[in-house]
Each structure stands twice: as C-alpha cells, then as structure tokens.
C-alpha cells in the first residue's frame, strides 16, 4: 500500500471538518468511542485521521468491499464526483432506488466515500487503493468477449468513398455499391453513405450542384486523422453538444471505454453514455447509440458488439496487374494519393483500385500533377510493374496539356499595375496564369477576396464588365474544419479502469462479533454495536464501548409506537431518509410532518424521492420503517 501523503491527510481533515455537527459526532462516536466533554474538535479530527491512516484499518475497509460497493465506486471513477441523487438515478435501471440509497449512505458511514460541496468523493486516504479496485464490469454488464472484426468508417473507407463519388459525380447511394464494399450489409452501407454526405457537406469538403465536387485540400486534411480520431470527429459532428471541443473529448473517451468492454447490452451502453456526458459536461444525446451504429463502431447481435478500431499499419507495396488494376493489403499512409487517380473496385481485406484514362484525367482536372503520380508509383511499386504504365500515362498527359480550359475572370491593366499584380504574394493563390504581361486570368470564386487585396494595395478596381449575366453562387458558411481537426488530433485512446474486478468473498470478523457478544453491556448497547458491525462500521476492538449511537434503526410489524417515534425523529432532517415498506410497494422518502386525525391515528406527510412528490400515509399501513442516515457537508 502506498505511503500516505500529508496532503491526503489534510484533505481528509478538511472534508470531515465541513460536516454538520450531527453527522460529525455520529462518526466520531462510532470510530473513536465515547466522546467526553469538554472536547476540542480539531483534536477529534486529528484522531479520526490517525485512525483511518492505520494500515490495519485501511486493509480491513478494503477487504469488506463487496460487488455493489465496487459498482458505485467504479461509477464515480468514470464520472468524477457526483451528488448522491445522481448516482441513484444512473443506477436505477439495475438496482432499486432504496438499495442504492442505503448503500451510498453506508459507504459514507464507513468513510469509504466523503462529501465535498454536496458531491461524493473517494476518501483521500484510500483514493489510490480504491481506484485500483474499480473496474468496468459488472458496472457495464457482465459478458466479456473479444472485439468484433466488423467494418467501420475508417480512412481507408473514406478514400474509397471519395474515389467512388469522383467517378459517379453524385452522392446518392445505389444498390450496386454493395459489390464494391462486400463486408458491409446493404442497409448499413446506405446509412453510412447518407451520414457521410451530410457531414462532408457541412464541412464543405464535398459540394453538390449539378455534379459533386470534392475539395481535395480539405479532404486530405481530414485523411491525416487516424481511425480513432476520424470516428471521434464524425461522432462529434453529429453530437447535440454545441461545444464541439467537449464533444470530441467525450467521443474519444467513449470509444476507449467501448473498445475495452468489447460488447455491451443496451442498458449498459446508455449508462456509459450518460456517465461520460456528465464527466465532460455535455447534454445526454439519446441518439448516440444510433450514431455509433451508423459509423460502424457497434453492431447489434443480441448485444452491441464493438468493432476493433485498428491502429495504423505499415503500408504494403502496390501490386499492379496488366489490366492496370492496383491492389494492396492492409492500409495506406495518411498522405496516400491512390484514390485520387484510380477508381475503387473492391474495398475488402484486399483493396483493389482501377487506373483508367477517365480516372487519370479526373485526377489532373482536380489539381494532381503527372509528376505527383509518377513519383508515387515509383515509390510504392516495383520498376517491373510501373515502367510500362508510366509510359502510357505520359502519352495521355502530353495530349492533355495541348488544351487548357479555365473558368475565370480576365484582369487587364497597365504595366505599373501589372507589376503589382504579378509580385504581390497575397494574389498568387487567386491568379490562374498570365495571358500576357498585362493580362491575367483570375479565379472567379474568390473575386471578392482579390478585389479587397487590390484595394488594400491602393489600386482602384471598377465593376466586372460582362456581356452576359453569370450566376455566381454565394459562398456557403461551414464549420471551422481547422478547429475541428485541431481538436481531433488531440484525441487518443485513453486508459480506463481494468475490465474485470477481482472479487473476493467478504468474510465478517468472527473475533469482533464474539467480542461484542461477550462484552458486559446492556442489550441495547450490544444490539447497537451488532447493527454497526453488520453495516461494516466496526473495524477495531477499540470501537467496542458501552454506548448507544442509534437508539432505533428500524421499526415494523405491530410496533406502532416505535414506527411513530422513528418517523418523528426524521421530520425536517435533510441528512436522514426513511425507507418505507408498504403492502404493495417500497418508498424512499424524506419526512415532512407527523399529524393526527380526530381518532388519534398518526399520519406521515412525506416527499417521495427522487421526484419529491408529496404524499400522506397512515403509519398503521406502513409495514416497516427503516432509518437511513446521510452525511452532507
């Protein structure tokens, strides 16, 4: 066990010092024995700190942790500090409200958990050891299996998608595309196509007019991301959170936890999403399971099976066949350009592209140069495979260069202005080419930008002179791709708690029980000690002293006056809840008032947790009342 630090002891003392007087002295009397008056509170706190710093006591506390304890602790290790009510709300799908309420209260009584500004935190003296015992299961289900080898939206898929829409000139899904992507089911492939079209249009990577156009500069920036980062970005873009930087961190954590779990049931998946949403301070998105399924991260097969998100693999050499098909195994690197000058034929374990005259011309039209293609083929294939192919491509390229067609604006100027236009660095990206020393072909789509540059340089440019009205499409607003990519590059698989906990059978200390039973105390004192022993609050023989801390913990059956007395003790107390067992249901309540009818029948007015709905219940109809103590700072 790690040596305790002075900082942890200071934290423990500070947290305990904020407790209400009732809660503080209840704990002090339980762990230190009889508290004599007059007393010095800082001295009592120091004694409590010393008690919980003893290695023997810490080991006993850790030995007594059972499965439900570890579920609650594991939840807090995922989310960070939470209010008790939030813990109960998150776990209500697996356990009853009363069960979680009692156990959270018990963990506070055992000082496994403390409260800090109303939120549950690990005892600083035990934090490191408690964290080691946290696990993802059984919190998120109990089944364990290897990750599924199912397809998902990887950079490899994205390259194939760009290649396909460049060939087709449209983004609408067609049934025959399933032949190109045989590992995908038709329905899931269509969902993926539709989602990609929406996201890439948002980012202005693809623009849909009469024909689809691809901004390859932005596409290449997107393809710099690895598999994990790409899926984080795609999920974040579909997230309901407006703070995309928080959504990216959330998605990265979510992927890391899912990969560790390998499979989850629907309830566990929703709990994981809710827990991480709380951790990252974003709204819960009920559609997140659908988004995960769309991108191929999870697949429903009885339970949700998680895809094996692969790490980057070293690229294999290209194999070039005589019919100009190019194939490879594994994945290409981030700067690969094969998809730019070839059309996809099959994306499976082996990827196959086809280099045609049309795909080559399409690449040249998109701005890729023959030199780029030549260098790529030389670096990624053997000379025997690429020599003849490059000769054929060189001949096509020479014919291609014979004619150039531009869609731009002609800028005519005098020699002085021409010198400025030619040598102003800011105008370089807006200038297609020089038609003569004083005539330039400028980009139409950035006319507004280069006019501002000319104006800033002190030149006066009149309106565009034209003989025919040309419709110029307005520039669309897009999400900031640069900011999103910057956030995505910071997404990396994160470390999670171990998947499976090492549960040991919890054995009660028979020597402590025997010491209580043999002590020369009254029946009430022994009963109180045994109650606290069963609640795992007795760690040492030094706690076995002649006192009664809890006069009555529960009352039921025919003990009408006991039930009334217990209800009256709880009225108006915010640190106490009552668990009520009725004939047909169990309620956890806060007592508001005890009143009497004309016939002197006691009525208990309560606020039912967690909705705080007010009800009035005849105490005679309550079978059992159990006192549950909370410790709030």
């Amino acid at each position: 066990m790690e040596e305790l630090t002075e900082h942890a002891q200071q934290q423990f003392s500070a947290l305990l010092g904020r407790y209400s007087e009732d809660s503080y002295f209840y704990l002090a009397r339980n762990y230190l024995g009889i508290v004599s008056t007059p007393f010095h509170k800082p001295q009592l706190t120091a004694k409590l700190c010393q008690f919980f710093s003893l290695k023997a006591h810490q080991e006993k506390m850790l030995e007594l942790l059972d499965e439900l304890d570890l579920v609650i602790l594991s939840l807090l290790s995922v989310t960070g500090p939470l209010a008790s009510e939030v813990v109960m709300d998150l776990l209500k799908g697996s356990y009853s409200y009363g069960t979680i309420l009692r156990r959270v209260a018990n963990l506070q009584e055992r000082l496994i958990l403390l409260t800090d500004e109303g939120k549950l935190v690990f005892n600083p003296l035990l934090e490191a050891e408690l964290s080691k015992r946290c696990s993802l299961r059984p919190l998120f289900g109990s089944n364990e299996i290897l990750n599924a080898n199912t397809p998902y939206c990887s950079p490899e898929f994205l390259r194939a998608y760009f290649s396909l829409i460049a060939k087709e000139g449209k983004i609408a899904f067609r049934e025959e595309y399933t032949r190109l992507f045989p590992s995908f089911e038709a329905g899931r492939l269509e969902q993926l196509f539709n989602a990609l079209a929406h996201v890439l249009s948002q980012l202005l990577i693809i623009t849909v007019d009469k024909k689809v156009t691809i901004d390859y500069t932005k596409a290449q920036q997107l393809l710099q991301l690895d598999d994990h980062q790409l899926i984080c970005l795609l999920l974040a873009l579909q997230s309901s959170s407006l703070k995309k930087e928080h959504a990216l961190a959330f998605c990265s954590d979510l992927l890391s936890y899912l990969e560790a779990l390998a499979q989850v049931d629907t309830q566990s998946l929703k709990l994981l999403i809710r827990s991480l949403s709380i951790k990252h301070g974003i709204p819960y998105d009920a559609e997140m399971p659908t988004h995960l399924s769309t991108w191929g991260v999870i697949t429903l097969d009885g339970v949700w099976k998680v895809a094996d998100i692969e790490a980057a693999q070293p690229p294999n050499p290209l194999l070039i066949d005589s019919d100009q098909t190019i194939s490879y195994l594994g994945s290409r690197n981030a700067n690969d350009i094969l998809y730019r000058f070839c059309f996809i034929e099959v994306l499976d374990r082996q990827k196959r592209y086809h280099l045609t005259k049309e795909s080559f011309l399409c690449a040249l039209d998109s701005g890729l140069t023959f030199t780029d293609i030549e260098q790529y083929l030389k670096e990624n294939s053997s000379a025997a495979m690429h020599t003849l192919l490059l000769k054929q491509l060189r001949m096509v390229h020479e014919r291609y260069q014979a004619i150039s067609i531009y869609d731009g604006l002609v800028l005519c100027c005098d020699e002085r202005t021409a010198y400025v236009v030619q040598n102003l660095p800011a105008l370089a990206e807006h200038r297609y080419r020089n038609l003569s020393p004083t005539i330039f072909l400028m980009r139409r789509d950035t006319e507004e930008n280069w006019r501002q540059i000319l104006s800033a340089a002190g030149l006066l440019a009149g309106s565009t002179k034209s003989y025919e009205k040309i419709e110029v499409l307005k520039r669309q607003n897009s999400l900031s791709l640069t900011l999103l990519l910057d956030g995505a590059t910071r997404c990396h698989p994160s470390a999670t708690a171990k998947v499976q906990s090492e549960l040991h059978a919890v054995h009660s200390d028979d020597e402590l029980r025997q010491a209580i039973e043999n002590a020369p105390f009254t029946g009430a004192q022994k009963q109180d000690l045994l109650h606290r022993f069963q609640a795992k609050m007795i760690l040492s023989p030094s706690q076995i002293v002649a006192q009664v801390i809890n006069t009555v913990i529960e009352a039921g059956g025919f003990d009408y006056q006991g039930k009334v007395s217990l209800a009256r003790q709880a009225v108006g107390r915010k640190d106490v809840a009552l668990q009520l067992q009725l004939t047909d249901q169990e309620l956890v309540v806060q007592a508001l008032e005890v009143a009497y009818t004309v016939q002197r029948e006691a009525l208990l007015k309560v606020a039912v947790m967690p909705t705080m709905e007010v009800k009035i219940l005849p105490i005679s109809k309550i079978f059992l009342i159990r006192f549950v103590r909370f410790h709030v700072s």
Side-chain angles (χ1 to χ4, degrees), residues 2 28 38 49 94-95 150 176-177 379 395 409 418 433 468 470:
E2 294 180 7
C49 185
S94 303
Y95 306 90
T150 52
E176 55 262 35
Y177 292 165
E379 290 176 353
M395 291 171 60
L409 296 173
R433 64 182 303 169
E468 187 177 333
I470 298 174

Side-chain angles (χ1 to χ4, degrees), residues 416-609:
R416 185 186 65 83
T417 304
Y419 180 82
V420 176
V421 174
Q422 179 68 41
N423 293 285
L424 201 60
L427 284 176
E429 63 176 309
H430 304 286
R431 195 175 60 243
Y432 277 134
R433 64 182 303 169
N434 300 1
L435 301 180
S436 79
T438 58
I439 301 176
F440 304 91
L441 188 60
M442 308 295 290
R443 288 176 58 176
R444 184 193 301 279
D445 59 334
T446 62
E447 179 185 2
E448 184 179 342
N449 302 73
W450 55 258
R451 276 181 172 277
Q452 290 175 357
I453 295 168
L454 290 173
S455 178
L459 301 176
L460 187 62
S463 61
T464 302
K465 298 173 177 61
S466 59
Y467 295 97
E468 187 177 333
K469 185 69 176 176
I470 298 174
E471 181 184 1
V472 179
L473 296 176
K474 288 186 177 179
R475 195 177 188 85
Q476 292 177 271
N477 291 323
S478 69
L479 297 168
S480 174
L481 181 60
T482 304
L483 288 175
L484 288 168
L485 290 172
D486 183 55
T489 53
R490 291 196 292 270
C491 293
H492 301 285
S494 56
T496 67
K498 59 189 174 187
V499 176
Q500 203 70 43
S501 61
E502 299 172 9
L503 278 178
H504 303 286
V506 178
H507 300 290
S508 60
D509 190 326
D510 291 334
E511 289 185 8
L512 281 176
R513 180 190 290 275
Q514 198 69 38
I516 293 170
E517 292 174 347
N518 294 337
F521 300 155
T522 66
Q525 289 168 343
K526 284 186 180 181
Q527 185 181 14
D528 180 50
L529 277 166
L530 287 170
H531 270 301
R532 287 185 279 132
F533 174 79
Q534 289 164 358
K536 305 177 184 178
M537 296 171 65
I538 303 295
L539 305 173
S540 165
S542 65
Q543 295 174 258
I544 304 174
V545 296
Q547 64 173 344
V548 176
I549 296 179
N550 293 313
T551 50
V552 181
I553 292 178
E554 62 181 49
F558 296 107
D559 186 9
Y560 178 73
Q561 290 303 326
K563 289 186 283 187
V564 172
S565 174
L566 201 57
R568 293 180 67 177
Q569 288 180 53
V571 168
R573 291 184 60 176
K574 297 297 184 185
D575 62 338
V576 163
L578 293 178
Q579 185 179 5
L580 308 180
Q581 187 66 55
L582 306 176
T583 54
D584 58 345
Q585 62 180 322
E586 180 185 281
L587 299 176
V588 178
V589 304
Q590 286 197 320
L592 303 177
E593 182 183 356
V594 174
Y596 293 88
T597 66
V598 177
Q599 292 78 23
R600 299 299 297 165
E601 181 181 9
L603 301 176
L604 177 60
K605 184 178 181 181
V606 300
V608 180
M609 300 169 73

Side-chain angles (χ1 to χ4, degrees), residues 179-193:
R179 291 186 294 102
L180 307 181
F181 304 94
S183 56
F184 285 85
E185 297 172 3
R188 297 193 67 203
L189 187 62
E190 184 174 7
Q191 286 181 340
L192 184 50
F193 265 64

Side-chain angles (χ1 to χ4, degrees), residues 266-286:
T266 300
Q267 182 175 297
S268 298
L269 177 60
K270 290 179 179 178
L271 173 60
L272 177 60
I273 294 168
R274 289 184 67 193
S275 301
L276 292 175
S277 297
I278 291 169
K279 174 184 176 181
H280 291 279
I282 65 173
Y284 170 67
D285 187 351

Side-chain angles (χ1 to χ4, degrees), residues 31-43:
Y31 291 105
L32 301 180
I34 296 170
V35 177
S36 305
T37 55
F39 55 83
H40 186 49
K41 192 173 178 182
Q43 191 175 22

